[in-house]
Amino acid sequence: MKFKIDTTLDRMRTGVVKTKHGKFNTPVFIPVATLASVRGLDNRDLKEMGAEVLLANTYHLHLRPGDEVIKKLGGLHKFMNIDLPIVTDSGGFQAFSLGFGMEHGVGKIANNIFLEGLKDIDFKGEKWAYVDDRGVRFKNHISGEIVELTPRKSMEIQSNLGSDIIFAFDECTSPLSDKKYTEIALERTHRWAEECLQYYNKKQAIFGIVQGGEYRDLRERSAKFMAERDFDGFGIGGSLGKSKRDMHNILEWVIPLLPEEKPRHLLGIGAVEDLFNCIERGVDMFDCVAPTRWARRGHLYISPEEGGKPENKFRIHIKNAKFRFDTNPVDRSCDCFVCQEYSRAYLRHLYVSNELTYFRLASYHNVYFIIRLVEKIRDSIESGAFYELKKRWLGYQ
């Protein structure tokens, strides 16, 4: 993997990441293909809308269909029949989402429940992941059997998947974890990072993950530790505090300590407001299931021209009765085929009728919308107009 910085503006930059399966421009939004599929969309949709890179889920693909199966079929690229760069996470986030995330009832930010890929599972209050120094033991939600992930096993699975960029195995802590536990998890993550560097497939690029919760000294310690190792890039993960301000603080502490010449990936974040505020602080890569998840729940993205603003999270809920006779597209400033061909009234009808067509159309619009927004942000950095664009969208600089 190679990363080239093209333009800088204050702490922001644009660049290009090159992999053996092609290149992608940064800043970039990465659609999440949890089970080797972006929900509701096919490969033609993704290429048509300009997706340049995808992220697949190590833990879930290990369970189904199995990483050994994917290896025998030629790796993820042949299995999915797609020639785009693919990133895989390590399975570390599931240690949180199936563990403390379930126990504490929170997501990466305490006021934002965000359990990746698990919408249809009935947990019944039971914790399904347990962490110790060796690794993480999961209760397989398909078979009920115990599955263990260790740093070495995560590297083996990701090698079998054949992704271009992999992540080191880490422990993602809860926003409600105290400092004592967060420090224990941090030291564990650092030991695991060393193991991952020992065992990973050298044909893949590997990113280390900065942890430390909301605690400045721990975050800075982790950033320095990762920066001193031979990683190709860095993820910023784990608990991002109890508010968006906490998340911004974490980025401001961590990013100056990471090597300027390597990309930075903010894991699991992708709301409109976050894209502006985190790119402004130097983030290059994002992944998030939000566009397709919100689409399935009836929420469609809109621009400021259509009334989108931080207060409504740049979304409308298509089920609202006021859209029953609305012949306008979802967003008149959007040039996706959904907005060019279908009305809000029609999409509302599909949604309330639970028609499968709705899920594809809504998912297409939402993913397209976010990809295009990040492209606009990238262009605005290159032209020097970022702050004007941010003010138009967020109402402040």
Side-chain angles (χ1 to χ4, degrees), residues 90 92 186 204 225 359 386 390:
S90 67
L186 180 71
Q204 297 171 298
F225 178 93
F359 298 100
F386 171 82
K390 180 186 174 186

Side-chain angles (χ1 to χ4, degrees), residues 147-162:
V147 176
E148 185 178 52
L149 279 187
T150 64
R152 186 170 187 171
K153 184 65 175 178
S154 176
M155 296 300 97
E156 177 186 319
I157 295 169
Q158 292 186 79
S159 177
N160 289 341
L161 296 176

Side-chain angles (χ1 to χ4, degrees), residues 106-265:
V106 296
K108 288 166 67 68
I109 299 174
N111 60 2
N112 176 26
I113 296 177
F114 193 78
L115 301 178
E116 178 184 355
L118 305 173
K119 170 179 175 291
D120 301 321
I121 299 172
D122 181 9
F123 296 121
K124 299 180 180 177
E126 183 184 3
K127 184 177 176 180
W128 285 9
Y130 298 86
V131 182
D132 58 28
D133 286 341
R134 173 181 167 85
V136 185
R137 288 175 292 111
F138 296 93
K139 181 179 178 181
N140 183 334
H141 65 273
I142 302 168
S143 67
E145 298 174 342
I146 299 301
V147 176
E148 185 178 52
L149 279 187
T150 64
R152 186 170 187 171
K153 184 65 175 178
S154 176
M155 296 300 97
E156 177 186 319
I157 295 169
Q158 292 186 79
S159 177
N160 289 341
L161 296 176
S163 46
D164 300 283
I165 298 172
I166 69 174
F167 277 95
F169 193 58
D170 64 324
E171 181 182 357
C172 177
T173 54
S174 167
L176 304 185
S177 295
D178 61 20
K179 187 173 183 180
K180 181 179 180 181
Y181 184 84
T182 303
E183 186 168 17
I184 291 170
L186 180 71
E187 295 300 331
R188 184 180 288 138
T189 290
H190 290 177
R191 292 194 298 272
W192 290 355
E194 299 273 27
E195 288 186 56
C196 291
L197 285 171
Q198 179 181 355
Y199 292 117
Y200 86 101
N201 183 341
K202 303 305 188 287
K203 295 179 180 179
Q204 297 171 298
I206 185 170
F207 282 28
I209 302 181
V210 176
Q211 291 287 355
E214 63 187 281
Y215 306 102
R216 180 169 187 166
D217 59 331
L218 300 185
R219 282 286 179 178
E220 291 179 343
R221 186 198 309 178
S222 187
K224 291 174 183 176
F225 178 93
M226 296 297 171
E228 292 170 356
R229 269 69 187 172
D230 191 22
F231 289 109
D232 299 291
F234 303 94
I236 301 168
S239 159
L240 296 172
K242 298 179 176 65
S243 69
K244 294 297 178 72
R245 180 63 253 179
D246 287 347
M247 179 174 69
H248 300 162
N249 287 338
I250 289 167
L251 296 178
E252 289 165 5
W253 302 333
V254 164
I255 286 178
L257 301 176
L258 298 176
E260 181 73 19
E261 71 279 5
K262 295 183 179 182
R264 310 142 179 169
H265 184 138

